[in-house]
Amino acid sequence: MIHELSDVQSNSIGCNTRIWQSVVVLPGAIIGDDCNICSHCFIENDVRIGNNVTIKCGVQIWDGITIGNDVFIGPNVTFCNDKYPKSGNKNFTLLKTVVGDNDSIGANSTILPGITIGENAIIGAASVITKDVPSGIKVIGKW
Ligand SMILES: CC(C)(COP(=O)(O)OP(=O)(O)OC[C@H]1O[C@@H](n2cnc3c(N)ncnc32)[C@H](O)[C@@H]1OP(=O)(O)O)[C@@H](O)C(=O)NCCC(=O)NCCS
C-alpha cells in the first residue's frame, strides 16, 4: 500500500510494504517486503532497507544508510552522514551507517555518522550513539 499522499519515486518497494502520508522516497532507495514506513519520513537514494522493518513517524534515512531485517526505528530517530557539516560543504565525506538485523532504536535517539550497530541490539529512547554498538547489547544514554 502506497498512500496517495506520499511521494514514492522508487520502483524497488517490496510486497506488502505500507508507506503512509507525506513520506518521500527518492528513486534509488531499495525497500524490502512487509515494511511499515509511517508518515513524514524521508528516504534518500543510496539507502537499502530490509524486510519487516518498522520506521515510525518523522525519521530521515540519508544516503549511505543500510538497515537490516526486522528492525524497529522509533519516532524521530535521527541519522547523520556528515561528521563535520557545513552549509554547502565542499569537503563533504559521506560516512556509512549500518543497522543490524533485529535491532530496535528508541524514540528520539541520534546515531552519529559512520556507525555500525550489530544485530539484536536495543538502543534506549533519547540515546546518543557515537561509536559502534556490539551485537546483542542494550545501550541507554550516551554510547
Ligand atoms: C531502555 C529500555 C528498553 C528499558 O530497558 P530496561 O533494562 O528494562 O530498563 P529499566 O526500565 O529497568 O530502567 C533501568 C534504568 O535505566 C533508566 N532508563 C531506562 N530507559 C532510559 C532511557 N531511555 N534513557 C535514560 N535512562 C533510562 C531507568 O530510569 C532506570 O534507572 P535507575 O536504575 O536509576 O532507576 C526502555 O526504557 C526504552 O528506552 N525503550 C524505548 C522506548 C521507545 O522509544 N519506544 C518507541 C516506540 S513508542
Side-chain angles (χ1 to χ4, degrees):
M1 190 286 298
I2 296 179
H3 198 282
E4 62 181 349
L5 295 179
S6 65
D7 177 10
V8 176
Q9 301 170 27
S10 168
N11 293 321
S12 300
I13 310 292
C15 298
N16 301 317
T17 284
R18 290 164 290 155
I19 298 183
W20 292 95
Q21 295 94 330
S22 302
V23 171
V24 176
V25 182
L26 296 190
I30 300 171
I31 301 177
D33 300 336
D34 301 308
C35 294
N36 190 21
I37 315 292
C38 299
S39 67
H40 298 92
C41 290
F42 174 75
I43 299 176
E44 216 168 7
N45 281 299
D46 179 17
V47 170
R48 184 176 287 262
I49 296 173
N51 300 320
N52 194 37
V53 171
T54 297
I55 304 180
K56 302 300 283 186
C57 299
V59 175
Q60 300 86 42
I61 312 286
W62 310 111
D63 282 341
I65 295 173
T66 300
I67 295 172
N69 300 313
D70 305 302
V71 170
F72 175 91
I73 298 176
N76 298 307
V77 167
T78 295
F79 291 95
C80 313
N81 63 9
D82 186 0
K83 186 161 184 178
Y84 301 104
K86 286 182 77 72
S87 180
N89 191 357
K90 295 187 176 60
N91 298 314
F92 174 62
T93 304
L94 187 146
L95 296 179
K96 299 191 173 200
T97 291
V98 177
V99 179
D101 292 348
N102 210 34
D103 287 343
S104 291
I105 304 178
N108 206 35
S109 291
T110 297
I111 317 297
L112 288 178
I115 302 289
T116 295
I117 303 174
E119 300 180 355
N120 300 300
I122 297 176
I123 311 292
S127 294
V128 179
I129 305 303
T130 69
K131 56 182 184 278
D132 291 351
V133 176
S135 295
I137 72 164
K138 179 169 50 190
V139 172
I140 298 176
K142 176 186 174 289
W143 173 264

